[in-house]
Amino acid sequence: MANIGYARVSSVGQSLDVQLDKLKDCEKIFQEKLSGTSDKRPRLKACLEYVREGDSLVIIRLDRLARSTLHLCQIAAELEHKKVDLQVLDQNINTSDATGRLLFNMLGAIAQFETEIRAERQAEGIRKAKERGVKLGKKKKLTNEQIAELQTKRSEGVLIKNLMEDYNISKASVYRYLAEKQPLVQE
């Protein structure tokens, strides 16, 4: 019976130090720096494969573990099937008893609600910014003239890989620029 920790931050610039300090009593800690919305979290997958019957998976908060209530329930079912308890330190949850399981499910639903409210606010903010004429997203790397030139070269048979090299852009960017309507080039 071992305590196995899992720590996650959303981006490379963030630090795991606070979580690792709280998980210091765990025999093994899996850690990663990836968004919670990512489907590919290899260290979480490895952690879930590693835990054995009688172990406890220890995290600091529910939002560090799952990307949605559904995902949280799937992880909880997998842990239950393996007879592994879940301990959530900051929220004082331990699924080894009925009260802990009830609290776990209630907090999971509240966390999902908060995530959805946050997403609604973000969408509203983006909509209002667009109404004010704010340009969102990454600035184009190529000028309209360069895009027109790229499109012309491609229509003349220049290979995608050569366009990537010529303009120092990714394959996805080449295709995105090729799909754009022909920009008006001012002479």
Side-chain angles (χ1 to χ4, degrees), residues 93-95 97-109:
I93 298 171
N94 187 336
T95 63
D97 62 32
T99 304
R101 287 188 293 276
L102 172 65
L103 188 55
F104 168 77
N105 287 313
M106 288 172 43
L107 287 176

Side-chain angles (χ1 to χ4, degrees), residues 8 37 49 145 149 181:
R8 180 187 61 80
T37 59
E49 289 172 358
E145 187 174 274
E149 183 180 278
K181 292 181 181 173

Side-chain angles (χ1 to χ4, degrees), residues 5 8 14 24 40 42 78 111 132 134 142 153 158 173:
R8 180 187 61 80
Q14 293 178 316
K24 67 182 178 288
K40 296 178 182 174
E78 182 176 347
R132 291 191 315 269
V134 174
L142 302 183
K153 284 183 177 183
V158 175
S173 293

